[in-house]
Amino acid sequence: MGVPAPRRELVVVVTTSPPVPSDRLLPAAFTAAIAAFGAGVIQDVAAGPRQSALLHVLVGPGLRRRALERQMALAIEERLSAGVDGPVAARVQALAHREGAGAVVRELASTWVAAAGPAASISARDNAYLDAVRRLIEGRRLRMVFQPVVEAWTGRVVGYEALCRGPKGDVFESPDAFLDAVHRARMEEAAQVELVGLARRRAQETFPGGDLLLFINLLAEEHWPAAERMSELYGGDGWPWTQVVLEITEKAPVQNPESFVAVLKWARDAGVRFALDDVGAGYSGLSSYALLRPEYTKVDIGLVRGCDQDEVRRAIISSLVSLAHRTGSLVVAEGVETAAELDAVRWLGVDLVQGYLVAPPSEIPLVPQGDWRVPGEVVGRRRTRALRERGA
């Protein structure tokens, strides 16, 4: 395995003509920098001298400075010119330094940040993310797309998973970028409340009713509100709680079992069902499973991908199916993308499937693709044979 190339440190200086106040320039420069560099590399954002903006970033090799500077300038001009008389011209200069001269950049950045003072700054990186996340949440600019969850043998839709997206064309359009910003802004609880409420409202507006289930992802348990605040925060109109399945990821361990169980009780008293998500890719082993006792067990996409060609993956899925069925849980295979994967997980005994082979996520819910018509007697024979082959 090769050693990754070291990152360079840059100070990016943004100025405008005519000069723009810091409270408008810094958010515009911050948003443009995320689009240009990516969210994870911005170290600091501050007001510089003479109504400039200063960004301290780490970048990988191969940076095309001139193209990047022009890209950022155009993005800043577009944002600042909206609703303003006359054009605003932005100048972006990335001050590159030779390898080993990073201390010079840090000293320059530290000096300018200190000179700007807290009143003139968004207070650096974390508060810049806070501003961006608040803009999306308070402005109700987040979107929901829906992906069907269907019966493995028949393709009958049993429900839809609600998936968060940022505004189209925004730097936070992808869920990973938005959730990374939420983490950096330390707004996990507020974001979770907004996302659950939005999913329930959008489902009520979108679906005709009936017995469809709505699968909603939750953030890690450490960011949940206390049980006594759940009714207050999660009240309001929306898809009925009795048809909601809250998904809890296995990728994060349970930090506070007592609080975890208290929230589960509140939810189950309201009629909520639970799914343990990402099973097979987490860090918590079966401890989360034992605490949660989920009605649905979602096999991670990493196990499903290529399982038709991998005996070990099939053996693990088969074991998870056996465990889930013995505890009364239905199994969902996530990320099914090929007919061969679908056939493999069917014969391993999964109950439900989800993935691009069925239908991609969409704001207007899609029905399953392909021909799922399987005679009832064939379904019965296949299920019986699958159970017999697994020794159940």
Side-chain angles (χ1 to χ4, degrees), residues 60-91:
L63 175 74
R64 298 177 61 189
R65 285 179 53 204
R66 298 306 177 206
L68 178 141
E69 289 170 355
R70 185 58 184 156
Q71 174 190 345
M72 283 190 62
L74 290 173
I76 292 168
E77 289 170 359
E78 181 180 2
R79 179 163 180 176
L80 292 178
S81 296
V84 176
D85 293 334
V88 175
R91 181 172 184 268

Side-chain angles (χ1 to χ4, degrees), residues 13-22 24-26 28-29 49-53 72-73 76-77 80-81 87-92:
V13 182
V14 180
T15 56
T16 63
S17 179
V20 173
S22 294
R24 293 193 61 227
L25 177 59
L26 267 65
R50 296 183 294 279
Q51 290 186 291
S52 63
M72 283 190 62
I76 292 168
E77 289 170 359
L80 292 178
S81 296
V88 175
R91 181 172 184 268
V92 177

Side-chain angles (χ1 to χ4, degrees), residues 153-154 343 346-347 372-386:
W153 288 102
T154 68
D343 197 46
R346 277 171 163 172
W347 288 105
W372 291 73
R373 291 171 297 179
V374 181
E377 65 273 14
V378 174
V379 173
R381 287 200 302 271
R382 287 180 175 178
R383 283 178 170 162
T384 300
R385 179 182 167 188

Side-chain angles (χ1 to χ4, degrees), residues 185-338:
R186 299 178 179 88
M187 284 190 66
E188 287 93 347
E189 180 179 315
Q192 179 165 287
V193 171
E194 171 63 18
L195 293 177
V196 171
L198 177 61
R200 293 180 62 220
R201 292 192 303 272
R202 285 284 291 115
Q204 189 175 48
E205 296 165 0
T206 304
F207 300 123
D211 57 356
L212 284 175
L213 297 173
L214 177 65
F215 291 77
I216 305 175
N217 288 277
L218 295 183
L219 301 181
E221 165 267 340
E222 62 183 304
H223 305 301
W224 293 5
E228 55 269 21
R229 300 180 60 218
M230 296 294 283
S231 296
E232 169 196 352
L233 294 175
Y234 290 104
D237 296 332
W239 198 249
W241 281 117
T242 52
Q243 291 168 236
V244 168
V245 180
L246 296 178
E247 297 191 14
I248 297 172
T249 180
E250 196 199 20
K251 289 183 178 178
V254 174
Q255 302 287 347
N256 188 334
E258 185 176 342
S259 174
F260 182 81
V261 171
V263 173
L264 295 186
K265 182 180 185 307
W266 173 89
R268 284 206 161 103
D269 286 347
V272 174
R273 282 165 271 191
F274 283 92
L276 187 60
D277 197 13
D278 308 311
V279 175
Y283 307 108
S284 55
L286 297 178
S287 59
S288 294
Y289 197 98
L291 281 172
L292 182 61
R293 304 189 180 188
E295 286 83 357
Y296 297 87
T297 300
K298 302 193 78 173
V299 179
D300 184 72
I301 186 174
L303 289 175
V304 174
R305 180 69 66 252
C307 65
D308 55 301
Q309 300 291 326
D310 192 321
E311 183 178 352
V312 173
R313 282 183 168 86
R314 292 198 301 275
I316 295 172
I317 295 172
S318 179
S319 297
L320 292 173
V321 168
S322 178
L323 169 66
H325 287 173
R326 289 184 64 182
T327 57
S329 182
L330 297 177
V331 181
V332 185
E334 295 186 289
V336 175
E337 293 191 355
T338 69

Side-chain angles (χ1 to χ4, degrees), residues 8 11 86 88 115 127 141-142 204 235 260 264 315-316 341 380:
R8 288 189 297 162
V11 169
V88 175
N127 277 359
R141 300 184 61 214
L142 294 171
Q204 189 175 48
F260 182 81
L264 295 186
I316 295 172
E341 289 170 354

